């Protein structure tokens, strides 16, 4: 499965990430189903159904997957049960139920209902690009990405991941690219963007399926609007939308990459391996090119993690074309 969204973090050289240490740490924190009075549970699971270990290593990248379960108990359901109980007490005992008693009833009813509540589950996958010094998370949600990073810090402190700080702010660069009618390097403008007015009225213009080099777009830029989202295509391989928070959304790996991965074989093990290697390489190169287009990271983040020999057993058969693929499950 290909990543559909991307939040990425810079790995510093302060603490090298060792594959064996990571494996041992995550094996101590496996996912356990949400039981009893727990509102949620989260832990590490194998990145794919055919794998047993919580860490998958291939071509210098380490893939992990965190599963989370949340109890679904709407406040309206609790309120209805409380009201029914209050009415029952008042009718039976001919007295008014006070505020403190209602709060106690609410806690009791919540505890009674929680073990029977529905469970919503989700999975967030990620991989560590050790050579380039990036943690790539398959999520466009900052809270979900940060939750995974926090669990990695718990498992392997101090986990050296921080949001990248580029020399040029994404919204400034995207606005300049639209004004110029072209993007730098291997990037080209796609057909969608979002522009915001920084003034008090905060007008927002969303454009879809439109020529981004048109005069209409330039007129919006001339009136002071700045780009907060911008559709881009990288090297005719990956289509995505860049946001002003430096996240990649709506990622599409174009046919040439998917065809290359599918040539590895029909069994799921070979396909997973080929997709992971191909995806991780392409995303790694894309992120490096994107950060370069934004002037590079600040000096404090400029030193990537030095490559670390992977001690874990890696797949024996790799795709003949040194591509780059990643197949990562996420709900």
């Amino acid at each position: 499965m290909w990543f559909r969204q991307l939040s990425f973090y810079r790995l510093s050289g302060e603490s090298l990430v060792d594959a064996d240490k990571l494996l041992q740490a995550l094996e101590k924190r496996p996912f356990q189903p949400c039981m009893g009075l727990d509102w949620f549970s989260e832990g590490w699971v194998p990145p794919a159904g055919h794998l047993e270990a919580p860490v998958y290593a291939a071509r210098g990248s380490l893939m992990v997957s965190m599963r989370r379960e949340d109890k679904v108990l709407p406040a309206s359901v609790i309120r209805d049960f409380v009201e029914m109980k209050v009415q029952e007490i008042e009718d039976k005992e001919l007295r008014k139920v006070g505020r403190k008693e209602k709060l106690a009833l609410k806690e009791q009813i919540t505890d009674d209902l929680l073990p029977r509540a529905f469970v919503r589950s989700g999975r967030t996958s990620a991989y560590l690009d050790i050579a380039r010094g990036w943690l790539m998370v398959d999520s466009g949600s900052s809270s979900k990405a940060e939750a995974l990073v926090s669990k990695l810090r718990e498992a392997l402190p101090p986990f050296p991941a921080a949001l990248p700080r580029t020399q040029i702010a994404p919204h400034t660069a995207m606005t300049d690219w639209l004004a110029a009618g072209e993007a730098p390097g291997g990037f080209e403008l796609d057909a969608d963007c979002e522009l915001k007015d920084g003034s008090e009225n905060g007008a927002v213009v969303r454009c879809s399926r439109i020529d981004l080099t048109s005069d209409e777009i330039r007129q919006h830029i001339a009136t002071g609007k700045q780009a907060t989202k911008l559709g881009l295509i990288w090297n005719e391989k990956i289509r995505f939308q860049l946001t002003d928070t430096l996240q990649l959304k709506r990622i599409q790996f174009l046919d040439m990459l998917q065809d290359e991965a599918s040539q590895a074989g029909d069994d799921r093990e070979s396909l997973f391996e080929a997709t992971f290697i191909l995806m991780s390489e392409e995303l790694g190169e894309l992120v490096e090119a994107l950060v370069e287009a934004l002037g590079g990271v600040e000096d404090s983040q400029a030193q990537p993690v030095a490559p670390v020999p992977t001690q874990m057993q890696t797949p024996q058969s790799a795709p003949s074309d040194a591509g780059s693929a990643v197949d990562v499950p996420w709900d």
Side-chain angles (χ1 to χ4, degrees):
M1 183 184 298
W2 302 85
F3 278 20
R4 299 301 179 190
Q5 307 174 90
L6 184 66
S7 298
F8 54 97
Y9 294 77
R10 193 61 168 160
L11 297 175
S12 72
E14 298 173 0
S15 178
L16 298 180
V17 181
D18 177 82
D20 285 334
K21 286 184 178 179
L22 180 62
L23 175 61
Q24 293 170 13
L26 300 195
E27 285 180 333
K28 295 176 182 177
R29 292 168 173 80
F31 171 77
Q32 300 292 340
C34 194
M35 304 292 289
L37 300 180
D38 296 330
W39 278 98
F40 73 94
S41 66
E42 55 188 9
W44 301 100
V45 295
H50 66 281
L51 302 174
E52 296 182 358
V55 178
Y56 179 78
R59 296 281 181 90
S61 293
L62 308 174
M63 184 178 176
V64 298
S65 188
M66 185 183 78
R67 182 176 176 182
R68 178 182 172 113
E69 285 187 350
D70 289 272
K71 292 285 183 63
V72 180
L73 188 54
S76 59
V77 173
I78 299 175
R79 184 174 59 250
D80 289 344
F81 273 87
V82 171
E83 290 177 355
M84 289 172 56
K85 187 63 176 177
V86 167
Q87 189 64 48
E88 178 185 336
I89 292 173
E90 291 181 344
D91 291 345
K92 184 178 181 180
E93 301 182 11
L94 301 177
R95 66 180 179 85
K96 199 72 174 174
V97 175
R99 180 175 177 276
K100 288 186 177 180
E101 188 174 358
K102 285 183 180 180
L103 291 175
L105 286 172
K106 181 179 179 181
E107 292 181 5
Q108 178 185 339
I109 288 171
T110 301
D111 289 346
D112 291 341
L113 293 176
L114 202 54
R116 295 180 283 157
F118 288 107
V119 174
R120 179 178 59 232
S121 65
R123 180 189 294 246
T124 306
S125 294
Y127 72 91
L128 288 76
D129 187 331
I130 303 299
R132 294 185 178 92
W134 296 106
L135 168 66
M136 311 288 208
V137 184
D138 183 15
S139 177
S141 165
S142 297
S143 59
K144 288 183 178 179
E146 286 293 341
L148 182 139
V149 174
S150 294
K151 293 298 288 185
L152 284 172
R153 288 198 181 103
E154 289 179 14
L156 201 65
F159 187 73
L163 289 171
R165 301 185 298 274
T166 54
Q167 301 285 353
I168 304 173
H171 70 270
T172 299
M174 291 189 293
T175 304
D176 289 345
W177 300 344
L178 283 175
E182 62 179 359
F187 297 96
E188 61 180 285
L189 300 178
D190 198 1
D192 61 286
C193 69
E194 179 182 276
L195 304 170
K196 281 188 179 181
D197 191 334
S199 63
E200 289 185 4
N201 64 24
V204 178
V205 177
R206 295 183 178 89
C207 304
S208 180
R209 295 188 295 275
I210 189 173
D211 180 4
L212 296 184
T213 64
S214 66
D215 291 338
E216 179 183 355
I217 297 296
R218 289 195 178 92
Q219 288 173 3
H220 284 300
I221 299 295
T223 59
K225 294 184 179 67
Q226 291 192 323
T228 53
K229 295 179 181 177
L230 179 62
L232 295 167
I233 300 174
W234 183 73
N235 276 353
E236 300 182 350
K237 295 180 180 180
I238 302 176
R239 171 180 280 118
F240 65 96
Q241 186 182 74
L242 176 64
T243 73
D244 57 354
T245 56
L246 203 52
Q247 293 176 316
L248 277 58
K249 298 188 176 184
R250 301 180 186 177
I251 298 175
Q252 297 179 35
F253 293 86
L254 302 182
D255 290 343
M256 62 182 298
L257 290 181
Q258 301 205 34
D259 291 344
E260 185 176 347
S262 65
Q263 294 173 7
D266 295 331
D267 61 290
R268 63 177 181 175
E269 291 84 358
S270 298
L271 183 59
F272 180 87
E273 178 189 341
T275 305
F276 179 69
I277 293 173
L278 184 60
M279 186 187 79
S280 58
E281 278 299 314
E282 294 296 340
L283 282 182
E285 292 179 8
L286 186 160
V287 167
E288 292 278 276
L290 179 60
V291 169
E292 182 179 352
L294 296 174
V297 294
E298 292 183 356
D299 293 342
S300 60
Q301 294 186 321
Q303 181 61 44
V305 173
V308 178
T310 301
Q311 301 299 322
M312 289 178 53
Q313 182 177 358
T314 55
Q316 296 300 314
S317 59
S320 55
D321 359 13
S324 51
V326 173
D327 192 32
V328 183
W330 154 250
D331 67 328

